[in-house]
Every structure is written in C-alpha cells, then in structure tokens.
Tab-separated table of all heavy atoms in Angstrom:
chain	number	residue	atom	x	y	z
A	1	LEU	N	-79.267	111.800	-27.015
A	1	LEU	CA	-78.024	111.439	-27.671
A	1	LEU	C	-77.028	112.552	-27.398
A	1	LEU	O	-77.422	113.708	-27.208
A	1	LEU	CB	-78.220	111.280	-29.180
A	1	LEU	CG	-78.806	109.935	-29.633
A	1	LEU	CD1	-80.269	109.860	-29.345
A	1	LEU	CD2	-78.548	109.734	-31.101
A	2	THR	N	-75.734	112.228	-27.363
A	2	THR	CA	-74.709	113.230	-27.077
A	2	THR	C	-73.619	113.228	-28.144
A	2	THR	O	-73.414	112.234	-28.844
A	2	THR	CB	-74.054	113.001	-25.698
A	2	THR	OG1	-73.429	111.726	-25.693
A	2	THR	CG2	-75.066	113.093	-24.571
A	3	MET	N	-72.926	114.368	-28.223
A	3	MET	CA	-71.779	114.514	-29.112
A	3	MET	C	-70.861	115.559	-28.494
A	3	MET	O	-71.302	116.658	-28.172
A	3	MET	CB	-72.237	114.977	-30.498
A	3	MET	CG	-71.118	115.201	-31.494
A	3	MET	SD	-71.725	115.612	-33.161
A	3	MET	CE	-72.321	117.292	-32.898
A	4	SER	N	-69.599	115.192	-28.290
A	4	SER	CA	-68.603	116.136	-27.776
A	4	SER	C	-67.910	116.799	-28.958
A	4	SER	O	-67.424	116.114	-29.855
A	4	SER	CB	-67.580	115.425	-26.900
A	4	SER	OG	-68.214	114.928	-25.740
A	5	LEU	N	-67.894	118.123	-28.960
A	5	LEU	CA	-67.325	118.858	-30.088
A	5	LEU	C	-65.804	118.792	-30.094
A	5	LEU	O	-65.147	119.159	-29.119
A	5	LEU	CB	-67.769	120.321	-30.057
A	5	LEU	CG	-69.261	120.586	-30.280
A	5	LEU	CD1	-69.548	122.081	-30.207
A	5	LEU	CD2	-69.714	120.016	-31.608
A	6	GLY	N	-65.286	118.309	-31.201
A	6	GLY	CA	-63.845	118.278	-31.436
A	6	GLY	C	-63.533	119.104	-32.670
A	6	GLY	O	-64.421	119.729	-33.259
A	7	PRO	N	-62.293	119.098	-33.113
A	7	PRO	CA	-61.906	119.907	-34.270
A	7	PRO	C	-62.659	119.527	-35.546
A	7	PRO	O	-62.882	120.374	-36.408
A	7	PRO	CB	-60.408	119.671	-34.414
A	7	PRO	CG	-60.061	118.566	-33.495
A	7	PRO	CD	-61.169	118.384	-32.526
A	8	GLN	N	-63.085	118.276	-35.668
A	8	GLN	CA	-63.814	117.836	-36.861
A	8	GLN	C	-65.230	118.402	-36.929
A	8	GLN	O	-65.887	118.304	-37.964
A	8	GLN	CB	-63.844	116.298	-36.945
A	8	GLN	CG	-64.753	115.609	-35.945
A	8	GLN	CD	-64.110	115.338	-34.597
A	8	GLN	OE1	-63.179	116.010	-34.173
A	8	GLN	NE2	-64.623	114.334	-33.900
A	9	HIS	N	-65.723	119.004	-35.845
A	9	HIS	CA	-67.079	119.548	-35.795
A	9	HIS	C	-67.117	121.059	-36.003
A	9	HIS	O	-68.185	121.659	-35.923
A	9	HIS	CB	-67.712	119.260	-34.424
A	9	HIS	CG	-67.784	117.818	-34.087
A	9	HIS	ND1	-66.948	117.241	-33.159
A	9	HIS	CD2	-68.570	116.819	-34.552
A	9	HIS	CE1	-67.240	115.953	-33.056
A	9	HIS	NE2	-68.213	115.671	-33.900
A	10	LEU	N	-65.970	121.683	-36.234
A	10	LEU	CA	-65.894	123.144	-36.250
A	10	LEU	C	-65.899	123.706	-37.665
A	10	LEU	O	-65.401	123.097	-38.609
A	10	LEU	CB	-64.636	123.603	-35.515
A	10	LEU	CG	-64.478	123.107	-34.073
A	10	LEU	CD1	-63.197	123.657	-33.466
A	10	LEU	CD2	-65.693	123.444	-33.227
A	11	ASN	N	-66.441	124.930	-37.780
A	11	ASN	CA	-66.412	125.633	-39.052
A	11	ASN	C	-65.175	126.530	-39.120
A	11	ASN	O	-64.337	126.502	-38.214
A	11	ASN	CB	-67.706	126.436	-39.252
A	11	ASN	CG	-67.934	127.484	-38.174
A	11	ASN	OD1	-67.002	127.975	-37.539
A	11	ASN	ND2	-69.195	127.830	-37.955
A	12	PHE	N	-65.075	127.347	-40.147
A	12	PHE	CA	-63.886	128.188	-40.333
A	12	PHE	C	-63.755	129.288	-39.279
A	12	PHE	O	-62.708	129.912	-39.170
A	12	PHE	CB	-63.876	128.793	-41.744
A	12	PHE	CG	-64.965	129.810	-41.981
A	12	PHE	CD1	-64.697	131.163	-41.861
A	12	PHE	CD2	-66.248	129.404	-42.321
A	12	PHE	CE1	-65.695	132.099	-42.080
A	12	PHE	CE2	-67.246	130.335	-42.538
A	12	PHE	CZ	-66.969	131.691	-42.423
A	13	LEU	N	-64.794	129.495	-38.495
A	13	LEU	CA	-64.746	130.472	-37.397
A	13	LEU	C	-64.467	129.799	-36.055
A	13	LEU	O	-64.582	130.426	-35.001
A	13	LEU	CB	-66.068	131.243	-37.326
A	13	LEU	CG	-66.425	132.061	-38.572
A	13	LEU	CD1	-67.840	132.610	-38.460
A	13	LEU	CD2	-65.420	133.187	-38.764
A	14	ASP	N	-64.115	128.510	-36.086
A	14	ASP	CA	-63.858	127.706	-34.891
A	14	ASP	C	-65.085	127.559	-33.990
A	14	ASP	O	-64.972	127.370	-32.785
A	14	ASP	CB	-62.672	128.250	-34.074
A	14	ASP	CG	-61.354	128.036	-34.781
A	14	ASP	OD1	-61.247	127.043	-35.534
A	14	ASP	OD2	-60.438	128.853	-34.595
A	15	GLY	N	-66.269	127.625	-34.592
A	15	GLY	CA	-67.520	127.368	-33.876
A	15	GLY	C	-68.146	126.085	-34.387
A	15	GLY	O	-67.720	125.515	-35.402
A	16	ALA	N	-69.153	125.622	-33.693
A	16	ALA	CA	-69.842	124.391	-34.095
A	16	ALA	C	-70.398	124.543	-35.512
A	16	ALA	O	-71.095	125.515	-35.816
A	16	ALA	CB	-70.965	124.071	-33.117
A	17	HIS	N	-70.078	123.599	-36.378
A	17	HIS	CA	-70.546	123.618	-37.761
A	17	HIS	C	-72.023	123.233	-37.800
A	17	HIS	O	-72.442	122.269	-37.144
A	17	HIS	CB	-69.724	122.640	-38.589
A	17	HIS	CG	-69.917	122.795	-40.054
A	17	HIS	ND1	-71.043	122.366	-40.713
A	17	HIS	CD2	-69.111	123.344	-41.000
A	17	HIS	CE1	-70.936	122.636	-41.991
A	17	HIS	NE2	-69.764	123.233	-42.199
A	18	GLY	N	-72.804	123.977	-38.576
A	18	GLY	CA	-74.232	123.684	-38.693
A	18	GLY	C	-74.510	122.278	-39.191
A	18	GLY	O	-75.489	121.651	-38.790
A	19	GLY	N	-73.635	121.749	-40.043
A	19	GLY	CA	-73.822	120.388	-40.549
A	19	GLY	C	-73.659	119.345	-39.461
A	19	GLY	O	-74.368	118.334	-39.441
A	20	ALA	N	-72.735	119.583	-38.543
A	20	ALA	CA	-72.558	118.659	-37.416
A	20	ALA	C	-73.776	118.704	-36.494
A	20	ALA	O	-74.247	117.668	-36.017
A	20	ALA	CB	-71.288	118.998	-36.641
A	21	LEU	N	-74.301	119.908	-36.269
A	21	LEU	CA	-75.491	120.051	-35.423
A	21	LEU	C	-76.693	119.370	-36.071
A	21	LEU	O	-77.460	118.672	-35.408
A	21	LEU	CB	-75.775	121.524	-35.159
A	21	LEU	CG	-74.678	122.279	-34.413
A	21	LEU	CD1	-75.014	123.765	-34.338
A	21	LEU	CD2	-74.449	121.701	-33.038
A	22	PHE	N	-76.845	119.586	-37.389
A	22	PHE	CA	-77.943	118.937	-38.104
A	22	PHE	C	-77.798	117.418	-38.017
A	22	PHE	O	-78.785	116.711	-37.792
A	22	PHE	CB	-77.984	119.375	-39.571
A	22	PHE	CG	-79.146	118.779	-40.323
A	22	PHE	CD1	-80.369	119.425	-40.356
A	22	PHE	CD2	-79.015	117.555	-40.971
A	22	PHE	CE1	-81.444	118.863	-41.036
A	22	PHE	CE2	-80.083	116.987	-41.645
A	22	PHE	CZ	-81.303	117.648	-41.687
A	23	SER	N	-76.582	116.908	-38.203
A	23	SER	CA	-76.361	115.461	-38.157
A	23	SER	C	-76.746	114.871	-36.807
A	23	SER	O	-77.357	113.801	-36.744
A	23	SER	CB	-74.904	115.130	-38.469
A	23	SER	OG	-74.601	115.419	-39.810
A	24	LEU	N	-76.394	115.556	-35.721
A	24	LEU	CA	-76.768	115.077	-34.387
A	24	LEU	C	-78.289	115.045	-34.237
A	24	LEU	O	-78.859	114.041	-33.802
A	24	LEU	CB	-76.154	115.975	-33.307
A	24	LEU	CG	-76.613	115.723	-31.866
A	24	LEU	CD1	-76.268	114.309	-31.411
A	24	LEU	CD2	-76.002	116.762	-30.935
A	25	ALA	N	-78.953	116.124	-34.616
A	25	ALA	CA	-80.408	116.201	-34.464
A	25	ALA	C	-81.120	115.199	-35.375
A	25	ALA	O	-82.068	114.527	-34.954
A	25	ALA	CB	-80.884	117.622	-34.740
A	26	GLU	N	-80.656	115.061	-36.606
A	26	GLU	CA	-81.276	114.120	-37.549
A	26	GLU	C	-81.107	112.686	-37.063
A	26	GLU	O	-82.022	111.880	-37.139
A	26	GLU	CB	-80.659	114.306	-38.937
A	26	GLU	CG	-81.282	113.453	-40.025
A	26	GLU	CD	-80.606	112.112	-40.223
A	26	GLU	OE1	-79.471	111.932	-39.741
A	26	GLU	OE2	-81.215	111.226	-40.853
A	27	LYS	N	-79.930	112.362	-36.554
A	27	LYS	CA	-79.698	111.012	-36.029
A	27	LYS	C	-80.615	110.737	-34.842
A	27	LYS	O	-81.135	109.633	-34.689
A	27	LYS	CB	-78.231	110.826	-35.629
A	27	LYS	CG	-77.929	109.453	-35.085
A	27	LYS	CD	-78.279	108.367	-36.109
A	27	LYS	CE	-78.013	106.987	-35.542
A	27	LYS	NZ	-78.267	105.946	-36.546
A	28	ALA	N	-80.818	111.751	-34.022
A	28	ALA	CA	-81.697	111.586	-32.867
A	28	ALA	C	-83.127	111.273	-33.315
A	28	ALA	O	-83.779	110.378	-32.764
A	28	ALA	CB	-81.657	112.849	-32.002
A	29	VAL	N	-83.614	111.986	-34.325
A	29	VAL	CA	-84.960	111.719	-34.848
A	29	VAL	C	-85.046	110.291	-35.380
A	29	VAL	O	-85.960	109.541	-35.037
A	29	VAL	CB	-85.332	112.726	-35.964
A	29	VAL	CG1	-86.570	112.261	-36.733
A	29	VAL	CG2	-85.557	114.110	-35.383
A	30	ARG	N	-84.104	109.914	-36.224
A	30	ARG	CA	-84.151	108.575	-36.820
A	30	ARG	C	-83.999	107.480	-35.767
A	30	ARG	O	-84.623	106.423	-35.863
A	30	ARG	CB	-83.108	108.431	-37.912
A	30	ARG	CG	-83.483	109.212	-39.171
A	30	ARG	CD	-82.473	109.102	-40.281
A	30	ARG	NE	-81.980	107.767	-40.518
A	30	ARG	CZ	-82.535	106.870	-41.352
A	30	ARG	NH1	-83.628	107.181	-42.008
A	30	ARG	NH2	-81.991	105.688	-41.513
A	31	HIS	N	-83.195	107.732	-34.738
A	31	HIS	CA	-83.015	106.754	-33.665
A	31	HIS	C	-84.342	106.490	-32.950
A	31	HIS	O	-84.714	105.336	-32.712
A	31	HIS	CB	-81.965	107.257	-32.680
A	31	HIS	CG	-81.661	106.307	-31.579
A	31	HIS	ND1	-80.899	105.168	-31.763
A	31	HIS	CD2	-82.028	106.314	-30.273
A	31	HIS	CE1	-80.811	104.516	-30.619
A	31	HIS	NE2	-81.481	105.191	-29.704
A	32	VAL	N	-85.052	107.543	-32.622
A	32	VAL	CA	-86.328	107.384	-31.924
A	32	VAL	C	-87.389	106.812	-32.861
A	32	VAL	O	-88.150	105.924	-32.476
A	32	VAL	CB	-86.787	108.732	-31.326
A	32	VAL	CG1	-88.198	108.648	-30.788
A	32	VAL	CG2	-85.827	109.156	-30.225
A	33	ALA	N	-87.437	107.314	-34.090
A	33	ALA	CA	-88.473	106.878	-35.028
A	33	ALA	C	-88.311	105.413	-35.436
A	33	ALA	O	-89.279	104.789	-35.864
A	33	ALA	CB	-88.460	107.774	-36.267
C-alpha cells in the first residue's frame, strides 16, 4: 500500500506524523488480514 506525504501528514516539526505512519501500517495489516 502507498501514501504520498502532504501537509495533512506532517507534525509540528514538518516531519511525517507518527499517527499517519501508524494509520498506513494498520490499514495494510487489516487489508491483508
């Protein structure tokens, strides 16, 4: 599964937000399972 990082995925340091990363990984697990 893929996700392109946009402004909605960033934290206050302008880096990838951990919640967005978790959401991508969790969705991938549920998709396969």
Side-chain angles (χ1 to χ4, degrees):
L1 279 75
T2 61
M3 178 175 72
S4 294
L5 294 179
Q8 73 274 26
H9 301 106
L10 304 181
N11 60 25
F12 68 97
L13 299 172
D14 290 330
H17 193 285
L21 298 174
F22 183 89
S23 292
L24 172 61
E26 184 269 344
K27 180 58 182 184
V29 167
R30 287 180 45 89
H31 183 75
V32 171

